[in-house]
Amino acid sequence: MLTVNRQRKYIHKIKKEAAWKLKKKAGLSSVDDLHRFRVSIKKLKSFKSFLNPSKDKKYTRPLKKLFAQSGNIRDLHNADLIEENHFVLSQATKSKRLGEFNAAYQKFASHAADYRKYFIRVLANLNKKINPVSIHAIKDHFKKELTAISKYL
């Protein structure tokens, strides 16, 4: 049995990890921190789909927006790395790309307090929907997920 208390502890753990990454973001720019932040968002979204598989996504919309914004910044960095590996770039071009990445990252990091509010709101809604879950329900849920994956692949 997956108890309510255990589920709340898991949500709290995700919240702490995301908050720590957001706090760290306000300082230096790190692509790894950005990736970990995106992983926290994915965990919350998947946990929400496990708790409430309906199509009601109105309270997770802010997370979708955060995920997209952080993805754009990460894509910027990945494109720079690919370009550096495959082309010979001048130092001016490299510094320009680095400046663009840092500007986008700092703009994203400047809104960290707002993002924390989003997380608190989403977590409050998730905590309301938590019910004890039997092991059989968990197995059935993931069995459906695995069959869906095999169909698409």
Side-chain angles (χ1 to χ4, degrees):
M1 175 73 67
L2 187 58
T3 63
V4 172
N5 194 26
R6 188 150 187 186
Q7 292 176 49
R8 285 198 174 123
K9 283 181 183 178
Y10 179 70
I11 289 175
H12 184 69
K13 178 184 166 189
I14 295 171
K15 176 186 163 192
K16 270 181 40 179
E17 181 181 313
W20 183 73
K21 296 298 178 190
L22 280 172
K23 196 180 288 185
K24 202 172 173 185
K25 258 185 215 341
L28 301 172
S29 57
S30 169
V31 181
D32 188 47
D33 289 341
L34 192 63
H35 173 70
R36 293 286 169 215
F37 177 70
R38 287 172 53 84
V39 168
S40 297
I41 292 174
K42 280 184 178 181
K43 285 179 182 178
L44 278 178
K45 286 170 65 177
S46 65
F47 192 69
K48 183 262 175 208
S49 72
F50 176 71
L51 287 178
N52 186 11
S54 70
K55 300 299 178 193
D56 180 29
K57 297 180 182 180
K58 68 180 179 186
Y59 68 87
T60 55
R61 269 190 210 123
L63 292 183
K64 186 176 180 181
K65 184 179 175 184
L66 287 175
F67 192 75
Q69 287 176 350
S70 59
N72 290 338
I73 296 168
R74 192 156 181 257
D75 289 345
L76 233 174
H77 182 263
N78 289 341
D80 291 345
L81 289 177
I82 290 169
E83 204 169 43
E84 283 181 18
N85 288 339
H86 295 330
F87 302 105
V88 177
L89 299 176
S90 67
Q91 191 60 34
T93 306
K94 286 181 184 179
S95 62
K96 179 184 171 191
R97 300 291 165 100
L98 184 62
E100 288 173 354
F101 170 75
N102 285 335
Y105 192 94
Q106 291 305 321
K107 182 180 175 187
F108 182 77
S110 67
H111 299 289
D114 296 334
Y115 301 153
R116 283 190 200 116
K117 291 177 191 174
Y118 292 154
F119 268 94
I120 290 170
R121 204 174 312 144
V122 169
L123 294 174
N125 283 320
L126 279 178
N127 279 328
K128 289 178 191 174
K129 297 186 183 296
I130 291 177
N131 292 317
V133 180
S134 71
I135 298 299
H136 297 295
I138 295 170
K139 287 180 181 179
D140 288 344
H141 174 77
F142 287 108
K143 191 175 192 179
K144 290 176 189 173
E145 294 286 322
L146 289 173
T147 56
I149 289 171
S150 63
K151 276 196 319 191
Y152 294 123
L153 294 178

